[in-house]
Amino acid sequence: MKTLINESLVAEQNQSLMPALQEDYDHLGAKLQRSGIDIEAVTQQAAKFQVAVPSWGTGTGGTRFARFPGIGEPRNIFEKLEDCSVINQMVRCTEKVSPHFPWDKVSDFTELKGFADDLGLGFDAVNSNTFQDQPGQEHSYKYGSLTNTCPQTREQAVAHNIECIEWGKTLGSTALTVWIGDGSNFAGQSHFQRQLERYLDSAKEVYNALPDDWSMFIEHKMFEPAFYSTVIQDWGTNVLCAMELGEKAKSLVDLGHHAPNVNIEMIVSRLIQFQKLAGFHFNDSKYGDDDLDSGSLHPFQQFLIFNELVDAEHRNQPGFNPAYMLDQSHNVTDPIESLMNSAEEVQRSYVKALLVDRDALYGFQDSNDAIMAANTLKAAFNLDVAPILAMARVRNGGAIAPIATYRESGYRAAAGVKRPSSGHSGSGIV
Ligand code: RM4
Ligand code: MN
Ligand code: MN
């Protein structure tokens, strides 16, 4: 596997940090032992955890108002993969990349697959894009794509989703994520039922093009770009459509796509129960689809979501196989640093959820002991599991201190020289 940061730098940095880490790890191990938990078993679980990186997150994002480009932003999917390989080299829990088309379209997908292979990377769900017009496109998506009132426009959107599946097959992907921006800005602008009927007709065509081992991930979002109504606005409409389409269609939960204060962990539980949980786009938010770094504002909420996921794992819930992906936009940080941090934050939530004393929790739930049930969750959440995460990284060949080692490598400054700014976002959004 080709690595872009000098391995001896990683080893050197790790060596100087190892004595302190070992001490902290042993201390945590002794503490967990008192509760009958074997730290080694937890570290092994942590070392197996994976979350995919969004290709579009490697470029600096922007808002409706402005975009402030960063140094050495990737200009194409090959450079995005280079950045993703640096992220994975440091954190070792991001082996897969989720590509977005046509932003990441290339003329030779076999070549792209080979390029990723060399960097030790694979591909997660492919994303279609019918929320934007592309240069030279025949029919505009201004008034919708899969739900447009014009049949030719719908056909064009269906054809794009099908070409994404074709490209994804070459890349070794097994899922298509469909998020549409379709909706309306005025009361009365669209007929709700007819619009959703058109969605289902189009989505069925896409669904029928899925290979046997593929899934279709439907992603809902309450608002934006449409501000009065959105066609797939919430998990209710999402799961109804997934049920209508069939077994291969499932609902994807993007943490920033819900009404404020919605109980997301409960939505997750419902989707798990009915085998309709596709997976996640992790991020954090305060107001809406803010795409802030995972766990940066609501780590307890993220932990509660993982509590449901680990609980399903623990119960061997049938059909449980969610895809974990990040979906963020970085405006004021180096995207590589944000993505490394976020991957670690997601992994942290997973590890804390592993430490919940489930049998005790079930007992308190059955005996209606509310305070002890809450305290059982809090006990796991309040543990500092950083030594487990760092140890899992080192054992997988990563860095004890990902950001410090990455900064020390000078990768960003070198990218700045190799990749003069194009003025465009690597994400393709702004
Ligand atoms: C959307 C949604 C999709 C992502 C685009 C770029 O808000 O989260 O997952 O593909 O943004
Ligand atoms: Mn998303
Ligand atoms: Mn989003």
Side-chain angles (χ1 to χ4, degrees), residues 218-237:
I218 304 176
E219 182 176 0
H220 59 271
K221 171 158 137 172
M222 189 182 48
F223 74 99
E224 196 200 21
F227 290 106
Y228 165 66
S229 72
T230 289
V231 181
I232 311 294
Q233 89 281 19
D234 64 8
W235 77 282
T237 302

Side-chain angles (χ1 to χ4, degrees), residues 56 127 177 179 219 252 254 257 281 283 289 291 327:
W56 61 101
N127 297 262
T177 300
W179 173 72
E219 182 176 0
L252 184 125
D254 182 313
H257 288 194
H281 274 177
N283 52 53
D289 187 24
D291 284 331
D327 178 4

Side-chain angles (χ1 to χ4, degrees), residues 57-329:
T58 55
T60 305
T63 67
R64 284 193 293 146
F65 302 98
R67 193 182 87 82
F68 300 98
I71 298 165
E73 287 187 52
R75 296 161 300 178
N76 52 54
I77 181 64
F78 295 98
E79 293 179 350
K80 291 178 197 176
L81 288 176
E82 285 175 355
D83 289 2
C84 292
S85 85
V86 167
I87 295 166
N88 188 44
Q89 190 189 348
M90 295 295 104
V91 300
R92 302 286 171 157
C93 64
T94 57
E95 281 168 7
K96 286 189 176 176
V97 178
S98 188
H100 217 305
F101 299 127
W103 296 336
D104 297 329
K105 186 178 168 186
V106 292
S107 52
D108 183 348
F109 280 94
T110 310
E111 183 199 1
L112 182 61
K113 170 85 167 69
F115 188 85
D117 284 346
D118 288 347
L119 293 169
L121 297 172
F123 291 93
D124 212 311
V126 296
N127 297 262
S128 59
N129 175 347
T130 61
F131 45 85
Q132 239 183 357
D133 285 347
Q134 303 301 327
Q137 183 176 311
E138 201 178 341
H139 305 283
S140 172
Y141 295 136
K142 180 170 181 178
Y143 297 107
S145 58
L146 291 176
T147 77
N148 200 297
T149 50
C150 160
Q152 287 80 15
T153 312
R154 295 202 295 276
E155 265 319 304
Q156 178 183 278
V158 167
H160 169 61
N161 276 282
I162 294 175
E163 69 186 358
C164 287
I165 297 173
E166 288 307 314
W167 298 331
K169 282 203 258 181
T170 310
L171 296 178
S173 185
T174 54
L176 168 73
T177 300
V178 184
W179 173 72
I180 53 166
D182 299 27
S184 69
N185 274 15
F186 290 87
Q189 183 187 332
S190 301
H191 189 286
F192 292 147
Q193 184 172 331
R194 289 193 186 124
Q195 196 176 35
L196 190 60
E197 283 166 357
R198 290 194 293 272
Y199 173 82
L200 283 168
D201 285 347
S202 304
K204 273 177 197 159
E205 285 192 55
V206 176
Y207 184 91
N208 290 335
L210 291 171
D212 287 346
D213 59 341
W214 271 57
S215 307
M216 182 166 163
F217 296 169
I218 304 176
E219 182 176 0
H220 59 271
K221 171 158 137 172
M222 189 182 48
F223 74 99
E224 196 200 21
F227 290 106
Y228 165 66
S229 72
T230 289
V231 181
I232 311 294
Q233 89 281 19
D234 64 8
W235 77 282
T237 302
N238 189 339
V239 81
L240 285 172
C241 291
M243 283 163 62
E244 189 72 16
L245 289 175
E247 239 178 57
K248 290 192 247 175
K250 293 184 174 183
S251 305
L252 184 125
V253 177
D254 182 313
L255 267 58
H257 288 194
H258 305 260
N261 303 323
V262 161
N263 188 333
I264 300 178
E265 57 272 22
M266 202 168 162
I267 294 172
V268 171
S269 166
R270 295 291 190 258
L271 292 173
I272 290 172
Q273 183 172 351
F274 294 95
Q275 302 189 26
K276 280 296 184 192
L277 179 66
F280 294 87
H281 274 177
F282 289 110
N283 52 53
D284 214 332
S285 81
K286 185 159 179 67
Y287 302 104
D289 187 24
D290 307 348
D291 284 331
L292 297 172
D293 290 17
S294 296
S296 60
L297 278 173
H298 301 108
F300 189 54
Q301 179 189 52
Q302 195 174 270
F303 161 78
L304 292 175
I305 290 169
F306 269 97
N307 180 49
E308 296 304 325
L309 298 168
V310 169
D311 187 76
E313 229 169 61
H314 181 79
R315 290 182 291 101
N316 289 319
Q317 173 77 34
F320 180 73
N321 183 27
Y324 298 150
M325 297 171 272
L326 299 171
D327 178 4
Q328 302 180 168
S329 176

